[in-house]
Amino acid sequence: MLPRIELLGITKRFPGVLANDAISFAVQPGEIHALLGENGAGKSTLVKIIYGVLQADSGQITFDGREAQVGSPREARALGIGMVFQHFSLFEAMTVLENIALGMDHPPARRQLEAEVRRVLDSYNLALDPHRDVHTLSVGERQRIEIVRALLQKPKLLIMDEPTSVLTPQEVEELFKTLRQLASEGCSILYISHKLEEIKALCDRATIMRGGRVVATCDPAKETARSMAEMMIGGNLKDIEGRDGRTVGQVRFTVENLSVPGEPPFGTSLNDISFEVSAGEIFGIAGVAGNGQNELLAALSGEQRRGMRGRIVIDGRDITDTGVTGRRRAGLSSVPEERNGHAAVPGMSLAENAILSARTRKALAAKGLLRRSAAREFASSVISAFSVKATGARGMAGSLSGGNLQKYVMGREIMQEPAVLLVAQPTWGVDAGAASFIRQAMVDLAASGSAIVLISQDLDELLALSDRIAVINEGHLSAAMDIATVSIEELGLLMGGVHGKKKPASAAPAEGITHHGA
Amino acid sequence: MNAAILVSILMTVAAAATPLLLAALGELVVEKSGVLNLGVEGMMLIGAVTAFAVSVTTGSPALGAIASMVTAAAASGIFAALTLGLASNQVATGLALTIFGTGISALAGAPYVGITTTRLGPIFPDALADDPYWRLIFGHSPLVYIALLMTLAVWWFLKHSRSGLILRAVGESDDAAHSIGYPVLKVRALAILFGGAMAGLAGSFYSLVVTPMWAERLTAGRGWIAIALVVFASWRPGRLAAGAYLFGAVITLELQAKAAGLSALAPEFMSSLPYLATIAVLVMISAGRRSIKNAAPACLGKPFRASA
């Protein structure tokens, strides 16, 4: 059988880096083919070349047996290549239908388009109302727009770029059903991910990339997640140590009935959030992005106190009315989700970044003057203790890779020996090596008696690290559950907004369309 | 008040509203594409002086109006080249364009100070255009009708045409539009040129219709009102027309008060009325009227750099 697409020696060089080095592999018709690799392995570059966003320096692409020159996304679509991006190319203020029309080269008249969209939605059992404005939709629903948009072009090859990173487990299951149905109809799927369990469940074959090269091809069903991970990083994966046998001490951090109004236009309000975390405990907060995680972190760290009601207590001390600096002094450290520009200032040196957050607890700015040498010393100790790859304390934060900057930021907070550490998405976009290092560091910090609040969208991470877990959905926090007894299904339902009470009317599905998870 | 006086006042309102509407319609399209061009005032002045010079030289005010669109569009082309080509800061570049327009129009207009030209007057037969009542409908300058027709055209373009959809998409999310394969910079460049042409036409209204002569800073800051109007109208052409006529009424009120010799308020206060109203509108908007904030194109003022 002729392969659907075959790549031969695809090479792409960027200034200073060989992003793709003679990549060759083939995808058969009807095959679900995984493209696996760490961040920076060259997956995105390769996919952009296939979809015509970038041009290869050398190499050849054969599509259905014919050599293909893919000069632009338009030409890719004309060939029959569809793509669902990781970051959706959607227009918030427009309706689903308008968004779909924008994604087509020759959209039919509105009424006909709507009929076609409804036909695709029906035949793949996708729940979506074509007339809703995009900003009112959940992430899963947004992804469906992209999928419908791609399917309307009747693709022969569908590229999915990290499609599940933002979905609830139930939404992932729905997506897999759709993809399997597509594959059974003969459409090839190139599935990019680093979630190994999903690849085992879904894909027929996997091509593994590292450092711009293909390092292995395997049958995911015959591999373990661990063996694929080790092929990906090209080394052995360390286990987290000291996870068990930690003793949980007295309560160190208490949040009582915390409510904060959301910032217009798209902010989420926090509603009556209560929880407590004890010494030596990691308290996990799960949830789909945009359900109030950022707002919660900002309210707890003291960045956003306007209109706040409730009580926050550290070690018996009420810190509700103190600001960021006061809370830091009381022993509260936080690591926000966004590394560049929130956790660290990219245009400042690592030492200066150390001063910004550690000035009170490490006395780096006594009497209003900067103690630069002390700051450099502290930064250097973070760099060595957390094995950050950097040119030194004078190096710019912005010059570090994502994983290294994250290690630095985590180290900066942990080495201040906080009573309470708030962390959001600590391993997001971080390579597997750095991720396991960061997780180990959190476990070690908890073992030393700190209380940790871990906000994450990565359920595997939460299940691996937390002692207790709660789910945040639309600004409400569920009751805390013991990690030993909680099930993924239960968490998934909570993430999808099932509290045993009805969702607000605005989020209700349109007539004749069933809502996921509800 | 008798009907004839009412008609005469309404005529003035239309005359005051039309240039605002023309300039604001252009700016609306520009902003919908995600670009904030604060150079409206400068482009209006360039349009005004061009219109006057061409009208004086050729004797044809219509030709002057057309020429005003060309030169103002050319001026907006500079803005486009800087903000799109070199990704310069839109606010600073727009302000510079206003300063540039003010200066160059004063320089180019120096020889024309103190002379008059033919007014770009009504196009309908005198019997209708001069009738004390019918002139309310037939007695306007053609630009008044053009402004209203353009309102309809812009509304239709944005709401119903595919090109309008693409333009809105570019203003909503430039990255998304780019990744789908739309030429973001080209769309924005065309929008900016359109905005320039409309601002030029608005400027020509002052030097060809309101007072058929040229003076430095003839437009007297009305370009700023046009920009505020776009926000006031929450980027909707229909509301924009209503807003323009409302501001036209405020301006007329000021003129009428002056003519009637109302001395209770200082004339300076009356002259500042439209601008105070503008500030009030802007404050109302930024004070958190959710609906208006949401209506703003998401990429407004954000420079776009195509990333691979």
Side-chain angles (χ1 to χ4, degrees), chain A residues 351-493:
Chain A
E352 285 166 327
N353 271 292
I355 296 175
L356 289 177
S357 105
R359 67 181 188 285
T360 40
R361 286 180 77 78
K362 287 286 169 185
L364 299 180
K367 296 176 190 144
L369 294 176
L370 301 182
R371 294 172 55 209
R372 287 190 174 275
S373 61
R376 275 198 297 274
E377 220 167 278
F378 176 62
S380 303
S381 65
V382 172
I383 290 170
S384 62
F386 280 76
S387 40
V388 179
K389 279 183 209 142
T391 50
R394 292 170 201 263
M396 289 289 151
S399 67
L400 267 58
S401 75
N404 275 304
L405 185 56
Q406 187 70 13
K407 282 204 278 186
Y408 180 77
V409 169
M410 288 294 294
R412 179 183 72 183
E413 302 306 327
I414 287 174
M415 288 183 70
Q416 295 178 44
E417 292 153 8
V420 178
L421 179 68
L422 309 173
V423 193
Q425 300 279 52
T427 58
W428 181 74
V430 162
D431 57 86
S436 81
F437 190 99
I438 288 168
R439 289 180 186 144
Q440 183 66 53
M442 282 191 282
V443 169
D444 293 346
L445 180 70
S448 76
S450 296
I452 299 180
V453 179
L454 170 61
I455 302 172
S456 179
Q457 288 161 44
D458 185 342
L459 271 186
D460 295 335
E461 172 171 275
L462 287 166
L463 294 173
L465 296 181
S466 314
D467 300 290
R468 285 184 306 140
I469 189 167
V471 176
I472 190 166
N473 178 260
E474 290 177 9
H476 295 269
L477 191 71
S478 75
M481 292 161 283
D482 198 307
I483 206 78
T485 56
V486 78
S487 73
I488 293 202
E489 288 67 35
E490 208 176 332
L491 291 174
L493 288 173

Side-chain angles (χ1 to χ4, degrees), chain A residues 48 54 77 89-91 93-94 98 101-104 107 149 264-265, chain B residues 159 162 165-166 168-169 172-173 176-177 179-182 290 294 308:
Chain A
K48 280 177 180 162
L54 292 175
R77 288 193 291 266
S89 350
L90 292 178
F91 306 96
M94 301 187 176
E98 283 178 327
L102 276 166
M104 300 175 74
R149 185 145 89 176
Chain B
K159 176 97 181 170
R162 173 151 176 87
L165 181 64
I166 293 171
R168 282 190 287 140
E172 243 358 280
S173 172
S179 69
I180 296 176
Y182 293 116
R290 222 171 243 230
N294 288 358

Side-chain angles (χ1 to χ4, degrees), chain B:
Chain B
M1 195 190 296
N2 77 37
I5 293 179
L6 188 64
V7 166
S8 136
I9 290 176
L10 290 176
M11 295 287 292
T12 328
V13 171
T18 295
L20 295 179
L21 182 53
L22 284 168
L25 275 174
E27 181 67 10
L28 184 141
V29 171
V30 176
E31 292 191 10
K32 269 288 182 188
S33 82
V35 176
L36 181 66
N37 185 352
L38 295 182
V40 175
E41 177 77 2
M43 298 186 295
M44 281 171 73
L45 281 165
I46 290 172
V49 77
T50 312
F52 188 79
V54 170
S55 176
V56 166
T57 317
T58 65
S60 159
L63 217 55
I66 291 165
S68 74
M69 294 168 68
V70 175
T71 49
S76 73
I78 303 174
F79 176 84
L82 291 171
T83 56
L84 303 179
L86 304 173
S88 71
N89 180 298
Q90 292 176 5
V91 171
T93 312
L95 291 174
L97 179 58
T98 285
I99 296 167
F100 169 73
T102 310
I104 198 158
S105 63
L107 180 71
Y112 299 100
V113 175
I115 51 176
T116 59
T117 182
T118 327
R119 197 164 168 271
L120 185 57
I123 39 173
F124 293 101
D126 287 353
L128 287 170
D130 288 344
D131 182 275
Y133 303 107
W134 281 112
R135 73 194 186 103
L136 181 57
I137 297 170
F138 297 108
H140 299 284
S141 160
L143 293 182
V144 174
Y145 308 110
I146 288 175
L148 293 172
L149 288 176
M150 283 306 289
T151 309
L152 261 178
V154 166
W155 169 80
W156 184 88
F157 170 79
L158 290 175
K159 176 97 181 170
H160 291 292
S161 80
R162 173 151 176 87
S163 313
L165 181 64
I166 293 171
L167 181 124
R168 282 190 287 140
V170 165
E172 243 358 280
S173 172
D174 43 15
D175 288 327
H178 174 69
S179 69
I180 296 176
Y182 293 116
V184 173
L185 295 181
K186 191 175 143 199
V187 168
R188 288 189 172 166
L190 290 175
I192 291 172
L193 290 177
F194 173 77
M198 292 294 280
L201 197 60
S204 79
F205 194 86
Y206 289 104
S207 62
L208 296 178
V209 181
V210 178
T211 54
M213 48 196 223
W214 167 253
E216 247 180 72
R217 294 170 192 255
L218 183 66
T219 56
R222 297 286 153 80
W224 299 107
I225 297 183
I227 292 171
L229 259 177
V230 177
V231 187
F232 174 69
S234 52
W235 294 270
R236 291 183 188 199
R239 287 191 200 170
L240 191 69
Y245 274 81
L246 182 71
F247 271 76
V250 174
I251 293 167
T252 306
L253 181 72
E254 171 216 333
L255 294 174
Q256 294 292 322
K258 215 182 270 174
L262 277 182
S263 53
L265 293 166
E268 288 80 6
F269 175 77
M270 295 306 285
S271 327
S272 63
L273 206 54
Y275 305 99
L276 290 175
T278 305
I279 293 170
V281 163
L282 290 175
V283 167
M284 259 163 52
I285 287 157
S286 50
R289 285 273 305 279
R290 222 171 243 230
S291 56
I292 295 179
K293 264 192 186 168
N294 288 358
C299 287
L300 185 57
K302 203 182 103 195
F304 173 74
R305 275 262 169 97
S307 61

